[in-house]
Amino acid sequence: MLLKFLIFIHIICATIWTGGHLILCLTILPKALAKNDFSIIESFETKYERIGLPALIILLLTGIYFTTVYTTNLLDLNFTDHYTRHILIKFLLLISTLLLALHARFVLIPKRALKPLSYHIILVTTLAVLFVFVGFSARSGGLL
């Protein structure tokens, strides 16, 4: 029962994370680029971070828990095992997301570099959608 509850919480948080980035990428970013106004992105981020960052932390914690439940030895790197393969792909997506976020936070945002930040937003949104796809693949029997 606990596992099913955590999967539900994980899905809700994935919805928040991915949905927020889709809104940012598809509605907020085009307005900011059209007006060349960095503050439009800042305004959205200030509001979204209150729910987006806690959702990301919960995703990380539940993801780590699922790793311990669904794989016996992650360091084995056995790509033939269904869950291990999906978990490793998710870890690669996570590392990519974190690297982009750190670069944006410490390099692009202080410089208020809107155009380079827009590429980061598109990439992080794409990674968020891929996270959902890989999670779906893992739970549905495997598309990967």
Side-chain angles (χ1 to χ4, degrees):
M1 188 68 175
L2 174 64
L3 183 62
K4 288 182 181 185
F5 174 74
L6 290 176
I7 290 169
F8 175 73
I9 295 300
H10 192 80
I11 290 169
I12 292 295
C13 290
T15 303
I16 292 167
W17 181 256
T18 305
H21 281 85
L22 285 167
I23 290 168
L24 174 61
C25 187
L26 299 174
T27 63
I28 306 299
L29 181 59
K31 289 177 193 173
L33 289 171
K35 295 181 179 183
N36 196 27
D37 187 354
F38 191 87
S39 68
I40 294 172
I41 301 291
E42 277 181 319
S43 176
F44 175 81
E45 285 292 333
T46 302
K47 295 170 189 163
Y48 174 68
E49 281 180 352
R50 287 183 246 150
I51 190 169
L53 289 179
L56 180 60
I57 291 167
I58 293 169
L59 283 168
L60 286 170
L61 294 174
T62 54
I64 290 167
Y65 176 75
F66 298 148
T67 298
T68 65
V69 170
Y70 288 112
T71 186
T72 55
N73 185 3
L74 189 62
L75 298 177
D76 183 18
L77 300 179
N78 180 5
F79 280 98
T80 60
D81 178 68
H82 171 78
Y83 285 115
T84 302
R85 181 175 55 251
H86 286 81
I87 289 167
L88 290 171
I89 292 169
K90 279 198 161 197
F91 276 130
L92 290 173
L93 293 171
L94 175 63
I95 290 166
S96 300
T97 299
L98 291 175
L99 290 173
L100 285 167
L102 289 171
H103 184 256
R105 185 68 157 156
F106 294 110
V107 177
L108 299 179
I109 292 172
K111 290 181 182 178
R112 301 179 67 80
L114 182 59
K115 185 133 179 151
L117 183 62
S118 69
Y119 296 123
H120 275 61
I121 290 168
I122 293 166
L123 284 170
V124 169
T125 303
T126 302
L127 291 171
V129 171
L130 287 172
F131 265 117
V132 172
F133 176 77
V134 173
F136 170 74
S137 175
R139 297 297 299 166
S140 68
L143 300 171
L144 300 175

